[in-house]
């Protein structure tokens, strides 16, 4: 009996019968529209005021991955314009226009504000409030403060670029100083280990050409003014000179190495201090500029503030209410059909 009942149950027939009761669905839809209309009237809708900003990025800047860096800066800009720091300035400006804003916190303002963007280009600023006048006040003050802050940050980013160049120069100077000290130490070791005049068999003999070329190379690397007649390269003994004649020259070269090494060691603490001070300054300016770069800019595009308009209308609320009522009725009907099928199946 159970199998026969289940076989005779026809879903298509039941759904067909539901569809032909159009008057019930129409009544349900109209009821939902009426409820939506009343709810929209009882619950006041906020108003939305909008303004546009132009955000541009200098795409010819050279980075390892330009897209990642650009997207990071876009996100950083969004964080800035919704930050407590900026919204506090917006609140101060609004408080001069309307005492109502004195009771609002940056968090309260942030709930009313939205920014819409996909990439560099036009960014849409949106402010919402139950009173259209306040929505317009909010978006106008927000846009003005953003432009002022970005103008201030633009000056900092140019300063940051100069500091970065100075920081690179100091870093290169520090590395060059360390490398030069290593090079001078290697020259001193070479000259100290090369003393043929101490060998009786070699003292009166000319030094080999290869050794002389190496000494000449050392002299050229050591001379500050290689074209001078008193330079180490110019004062080197002639090729046929005995090894003993190189002793005064080698002592002079060692003295020059020691003098240059001493000057470089004296410069190292100054470079370290300048590098530390410049790094600190760079970090301070970078933080004050929200780590934005000189390659990012913001422009007003247009001073127009679009007139506030309601976020939702009663007509839209009525339509949504009608559709929700239909969905609710459909769900109840299908649930009832399933219950009936299961009930017949147990008989």
């Amino acid at each position: 009996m159970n199998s026969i009942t289940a076989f005779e149950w026809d879903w298509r027939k039941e759904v067909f019968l539901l569809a032909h009761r159009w008057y019930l669905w129409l009544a349900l839809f109209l009821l939902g529209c009426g409820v939506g209309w009343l709810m929209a009237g009882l619950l006041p809708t906020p108003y939305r005021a909008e303004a546009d900003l132009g955000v541009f990025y200098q795409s010819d800047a050279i980075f390892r991955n330009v897209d990642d860096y650009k997207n990071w800066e876009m996100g950083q800009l969004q964080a800035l314009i919704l930050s407590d720091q900026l919204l506090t300035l917006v609140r101060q400006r609004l408080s001069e226009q309307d005492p109502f804003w004195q009771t609002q916190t940056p968090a309260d303002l942030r709930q009313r504000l939205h920014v819409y963007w996909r990439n560099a280009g036009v960014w849409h600023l949106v402010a919402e409030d139950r009173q259209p006048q306040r929505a317009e006040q909010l978006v106008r003050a927000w846009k003005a403060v953003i432009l002022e802050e970005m103008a201030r940050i633009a000056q900092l980013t140019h300063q940051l670029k100069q500091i970065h160049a100075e920081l690179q120069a100091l870093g290169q100077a520090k590395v060059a100083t360390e490398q030069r000290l290593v090079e001078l130490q290697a020259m001193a070791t070479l000259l100290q280990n090369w003393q043929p005049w101490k060998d009786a068999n070699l003292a009166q003999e000319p030094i080999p050409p290869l050794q002389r070329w190496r000494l000449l190379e050392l002299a050229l690397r050591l001379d500050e003014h290689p074209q001078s007649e008193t330079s180490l390269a110019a004062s080197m003994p002639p090729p046929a000179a005995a090894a003993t004649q190189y002793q005064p020259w080698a002592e002079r070269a060692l003295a020059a190495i020691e003098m240059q090494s001493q000057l470089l060691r004296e410069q190292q603490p100054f470079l370290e201090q300048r590098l530390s001070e410049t790094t600190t300054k760079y970090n301070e300016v970078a933080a004050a500029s929200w780590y934005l770069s000189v390659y990012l800019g913001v422009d007003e595009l247009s001073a127009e503030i679009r007139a506030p308009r309601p976020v939702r209308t009663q007509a839209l609320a009525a339509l949504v209410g009608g559709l929700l009522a239909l969905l609710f009725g459909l769900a109840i009907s299908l649930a009832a059909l399933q219950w009936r099928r299961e009930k017949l199946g147990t008989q």
Side-chain angles (χ1 to χ4, degrees):
M1 181 65 181
N2 292 346
S3 59
I4 296 176
T5 305
F7 178 79
E8 293 176 351
W9 180 265
D10 191 348
W11 271 103
R12 182 180 300 180
K13 179 179 179 181
E14 295 295 333
V15 173
F16 182 78
L17 291 175
L18 283 177
H20 275 68
R21 295 170 183 172
W22 58 269
Y23 48 89
L24 295 178
W25 297 109
L26 178 60
L28 188 61
F29 177 76
L30 293 177
L31 178 62
C33 289
V35 173
W37 181 278
L38 291 176
M39 292 295 294
L42 294 175
L43 299 176
T45 180
Y47 286 82
R48 174 178 294 174
E50 299 182 15
D52 292 335
L53 277 180
V55 177
F56 60 89
Y57 186 82
Q58 185 177 346
S59 58
D60 59 347
I62 300 175
F63 296 101
R64 179 171 296 180
N65 193 323
V66 177
D67 287 337
D68 286 351
Y69 187 78
K70 179 195 66 176
N71 293 336
W72 180 87
E73 289 218 64
M74 299 289 110
Q76 194 71 0
L77 176 60
Q78 179 177 354
L80 166 63
I81 65 180
L82 291 172
S83 66
D84 286 352
Q85 173 184 328
L86 187 137
L87 294 182
T88 298
L89 299 175
V90 175
R91 175 183 173 275
Q92 293 173 357
R93 177 165 301 199
L94 289 171
S95 298
E96 300 172 357
Q97 305 174 22
D98 189 340
F100 165 79
W101 298 109
Q102 297 177 2
T103 62
Q104 303 299 300
T105 65
D108 295 330
L109 297 183
R110 190 179 298 109
Q111 291 179 353
R112 293 178 168 91
L113 298 173
H114 309 279
V115 55
Y116 299 99
W117 60 277
R118 291 185 179 180
N119 209 323
V122 179
W123 284 34
H124 301 286
L125 305 179
V126 176
E128 294 181 358
D129 194 270
R130 291 185 177 180
Q131 295 189 12
Q133 180 183 358
R134 288 177 181 167
E136 184 175 352
Q137 287 178 347
L138 182 55
V139 77
R140 189 181 299 276
W142 189 30
K143 178 181 179 180
V145 171
I146 292 174
L147 291 172
E148 292 174 3
E149 279 297 288
M150 288 306 298
R152 179 188 66 84
I153 288 176
Q155 296 179 352
L156 292 177
T157 56
H158 281 86
Q159 181 183 356
L160 191 66
K161 187 177 181 181
Q162 296 175 354
I163 297 174
H164 183 261
E166 182 180 357
L167 197 60
Q168 284 186 317
L170 288 170
Q172 292 172 357
K174 179 177 180 293
V175 172
T177 299
E178 294 172 349
Q179 291 178 343
R180 182 61 173 172
L181 281 171
V182 172
E183 183 182 19
L184 291 173
Q185 182 60 42
M187 293 180 185
T189 302
L190 176 63
L191 290 174
Q192 290 166 357
N193 294 335
W194 182 80
Q195 295 182 354
W197 51 84
K198 292 184 178 181
D199 188 337
N201 296 327
L202 300 176
Q204 302 303 322
E205 297 291 332
I207 64 173
L210 182 59
Q211 288 187 15
R212 192 175 187 281
W213 279 109
R214 289 178 177 174
L215 292 175
L216 181 60
E217 180 189 4
L218 182 148
L220 292 172
R221 290 161 55 193
L222 190 59
D223 279 332
E224 296 181 357
H225 305 287
Q227 303 301 325
S228 173
E229 295 180 358
T230 60
S231 66
L232 286 170
S235 60
M236 180 180 290
T244 54
Q245 297 183 27
Y246 282 86
Q247 183 177 1
W249 181 88
E251 292 175 353
R252 181 186 167 198
L254 286 170
I257 290 173
E258 179 59 28
M259 182 179 66
Q260 290 188 26
S261 298
Q262 182 62 28
L263 289 175
L264 291 174
R265 284 191 291 267
E266 291 175 356
Q267 290 178 7
Q268 277 186 312
F270 171 76
L271 286 174
E272 291 285 355
Q273 181 181 0
R274 286 285 299 140
L275 193 59
S276 176
E277 293 173 352
T278 306
T279 301
T280 301
K281 185 177 180 181
Y282 179 87
N283 292 333
E284 291 174 352
V285 176
S289 64
W290 279 76
Y291 302 96
L292 296 174
S293 72
V294 70
Y295 307 107
L296 179 71
V298 174
D299 193 11
E300 185 177 17
L301 283 186
S302 172
E304 177 187 3
I305 303 294
R306 288 189 282 281
R309 54 186 176 83
V311 174
R312 60 179 183 272
T313 63
Q314 284 189 300
L316 178 61
L319 177 61
V320 172
L323 293 177
L324 289 177
L326 287 178
L327 290 176
F328 178 76
L330 180 62
I332 294 296
S333 299
L334 292 177
L337 290 178
Q338 180 64 22
W339 177 79
R340 287 176 57 193
R341 180 179 183 277
E342 292 177 354
K343 184 177 179 181
L344 289 174
T346 57
Q347 292 179 357

